[in-house]
Amino acid sequence: MLAATMLFATSCQQDEVFVDDNEAVVQFQITTPEMATRAYSDGMTATNLQYAVYDKDGKQITEMFPGVGHGEKEIKGSTTVELKLAQGNTYHVLFWAAADGAPYNVDFVNHKLNVLNYTSASNDESRDAFYKWHEVTVNSNEPQRVELRRPFAQLNIGTGDMDDATAAGVTVATTSVTVSNVYTAMDFANGSVDEATKTTATFSLAPVPAADEKFPVENYKYLAMNYVLVPADKI
C-alpha cells in the first residue's frame, strides 16, 4: 500500500504621472508569485486580471468603469494597471486573476468570491487564482507594487514509496480526491470565509500529475493536487 502525505501551501519601475493639482495617474505594478522550479502554482494559468476601485469604507466606485464597474486586462506573471485617482484620498483596489472559464464568480459590489463548484477532475491547474485587496493613499510619486496571493489552500498529496510500489507490481495511474469542510464564499476585504457555505469537495478521477511536477517535500512524488477554499488560519 502506498504511504501518502498531504501538504497545504498558501502561492520596470515607472513614476506616477500627475495630471493636475487634484488627480494623479497611479501605476500599480502587479505580479503573481514567482516559482524557482517547474511546479504547480506557477501562476501562469491565471491570465485574466480584473480590478475594481473602492473608497476608504469599501464602497465600490463604479463610475470609474462605465457600464461594467470594473476593469480587465491580460496578465502573464506581471502587468501594469494605471488608475486616475484623487490626490490625498485613500482607496482600496481589488485585483483578481484567474483562468478564462475558471469556476468562480466575483461579486465586485460586495467584494466577495464565490466558488461555483468543486466538480472538476482532480489535478486541474486551471482552478488556480490570485487576488489582493490593496489599500493606497495618493500622496507620493512612488508606483504601487502589488503581489497577488492565492485565496485557496493548495492540497498536495504525495507518496514516498512510488518506486517500491512499481517494483512490487502496483501501478497508480489515476487519483480522485474528496475533502470535507471546505467553503464556497470569501470576503476579499478581510479574507474571511462564509461559514454558511461549508461543503464537501469531490474531484473526480484524473491521471496522476506528470513526473516533472516537483512535490514540495523532498523524495516524494505527486498523487494529486487540488485547490480548496478554507479559513485563513487553516492554510
Side-chain angles (χ1 to χ4, degrees), residues 35-114:
M35 300 297 293
T37 59
R38 171 70 180 109
Y40 282 128
S41 77
D42 63 5
M44 299 309 292
T45 61
T47 57
N48 183 24
L49 177 70
Q50 296 176 298
Y51 47 94
V53 180
Y54 305 78
D55 65 20
K56 64 179 181 180
D57 298 317
K59 181 180 179 181
Q60 187 181 6
I61 305 174
T62 57
E63 56 268 28
M64 293 191 65
F65 305 98
V68 293
H70 63 272
E72 187 169 340
K73 70 181 303 184
E74 184 179 55
I75 182 172
K76 292 183 177 179
S78 65
T79 192
T80 297
V81 170
E82 295 185 345
L83 297 172
K84 186 184 294 186
L85 304 174
Q87 291 204 64
N89 284 7
T90 296
Y91 299 89
H92 291 96
V93 186
L94 170 59
F95 296 99
W96 164 255
D100 288 332
Y104 311 118
N105 178 68
V106 175
D107 175 357
F108 284 101
V109 173
N110 296 300
H111 41 76
K112 289 187 177 180
L113 166 66
N114 294 291

Side-chain angles (χ1 to χ4, degrees), residues 24 34 51 74 85 87 94 99 117 133 152 154 156 192 223:
E34 294 184 4
Y51 47 94
E74 184 179 55
L85 304 174
Q87 291 204 64
L94 170 59
N117 64 70
W133 179 259
F152 311 111
Q154 184 189 46
N156 300 297
S192 64
L223 291 174

Side-chain angles (χ1 to χ4, degrees), residues 2 54 75 80 109 113 123 145 154 178 183 197-198 213 224:
L2 288 175
Y54 305 78
I75 182 172
T80 297
V109 173
L113 166 66
N123 314 323
R145 294 175 176 83
Q154 184 189 46
T178 298
Y183 296 80
T197 68
K198 184 183 293 187
E213 295 291 354

